[in-house]
Amino acid sequence: GDLDRQMIATNSLGIIHQQRGEIAAALHCYEQCRNLGEQFNLPEALAFALLNIGTLSYEQGELDATAGRLDQARQIFLQIGMREEDAHCLYLLGDVALRQGVPNAAKGYAQQALNLANQIGSQVFASCALRVRGEVWLVLGDLSAAADDLAESWRLQEEIGDPYDQALIQAALARLARAQGDATRARAEALASRAFACESGIAYLEAELNDFLVNLGEP
């Protein structure tokens, strides 16, 4: 109906604003969707709005707020049987835990996301979960396990071709290469990741990669 079309349009507009770095405008769109979802008792729309608000918070570095929104979204997705979106929330919670410096919690979320993605045949979220688990191994110092997970994540993602996720995987591969002592490969992966991040409007990742490249001695 008209309400569904309005919410889809508002959500799509929010995503465009987010990719352009227009954070306040994006948040306004997502909050409108959340309000409509609550007002008209539309749980799926409400959950997606919470997921989008959470993603936006994550990109702004507001990690506690992100976790809260993702937990709320996840509870709704579970209630309405949307298992793929549950996997989506789980791997994102893994990212949050990683940035909060809690790698074991991140590993738990990544493993849950991977198990669920494999059960439902979601290549997209299997790739995302493997990337998070690979980043956990990297933080824990198991470079061999990190290399295996990140290689498999990239293999799956090459078939999907989402520049946002490709940027995140290549940023992790750059950190892995640096940890392995291969500055040349680290630079190449970081430059490739930065190009994808720029294409996808991931400002926080662009900034991180600029610092990474400066530390490697790349302008």
Side-chain angles (χ1 to χ4, degrees), residues 45-93:
L46 174 58
F48 274 112
L50 289 163
L51 174 56
N52 286 332
I53 293 166
T55 305
L56 198 63
S57 299
Y58 179 76
E59 291 186 0
Q60 301 307 300
E62 298 162 359
L63 300 180
D64 290 342
T66 303
R69 296 285 181 266
L70 292 175
D71 279 329
Q72 287 176 291
R74 194 174 167 231
Q75 293 313 312
I76 299 169
F77 286 132
L78 283 169
Q79 285 166 12
I80 59 180
M82 294 187 69
R83 299 176 75 208
E84 193 165 11
E85 293 310 323
D86 182 24
H88 191 170
C89 292
L90 282 165
Y91 97 76
L92 287 170
L93 283 162

Side-chain angles (χ1 to χ4, degrees), residues 48-149:
F48 274 112
L50 289 163
L51 174 56
N52 286 332
I53 293 166
T55 305
L56 198 63
S57 299
Y58 179 76
E59 291 186 0
Q60 301 307 300
E62 298 162 359
L63 300 180
D64 290 342
T66 303
R69 296 285 181 266
L70 292 175
D71 279 329
Q72 287 176 291
R74 194 174 167 231
Q75 293 313 312
I76 299 169
F77 286 132
L78 283 169
Q79 285 166 12
I80 59 180
M82 294 187 69
R83 299 176 75 208
E84 193 165 11
E85 293 310 323
D86 182 24
H88 191 170
C89 292
L90 282 165
Y91 97 76
L92 287 170
L93 283 162
D95 270 327
V96 172
L98 259 178
R99 286 182 84 184
Q100 287 176 322
V102 200
N104 286 322
K107 189 166 137 201
Y109 283 125
Q111 193 61 55
Q112 284 184 75
L114 183 60
N115 293 346
L116 186 50
N118 287 336
Q119 281 171 27
I120 60 182
S122 171
Q123 196 168 319
V124 172
F125 295 130
S127 171
C128 294
L130 283 162
R131 193 256 313 151
V132 176
R133 195 174 71 178
E135 292 201 57
V136 170
W137 291 128
L138 183 54
V139 169
L140 295 177
D142 190 335
L143 302 190
S144 172
D148 287 347
D149 274 354

Side-chain angles (χ1 to χ4, degrees), residues 28-61:
H28 178 69
C29 290
Y30 297 151
E31 291 286 8
Q32 273 187 294
C33 288
R34 180 171 73 166
N35 292 338
L36 288 168
E38 286 176 343
Q39 188 179 342
F40 294 101
N41 191 27
L42 301 166
E44 183 179 334
L46 174 58
F48 274 112
L50 289 163
L51 174 56
N52 286 332
I53 293 166
T55 305
L56 198 63
S57 299
Y58 179 76
E59 291 186 0
Q60 301 307 300

Side-chain angles (χ1 to χ4, degrees), residues 146-166:
D148 287 347
D149 274 354
L150 292 175
E152 179 63 7
S153 176
W154 181 253
R155 187 188 70 75
L156 291 171
Q157 186 48 241
E158 274 194 308
E159 295 175 20
I160 299 158
D162 183 324
Y164 193 106
D165 290 325
Q166 286 174 316

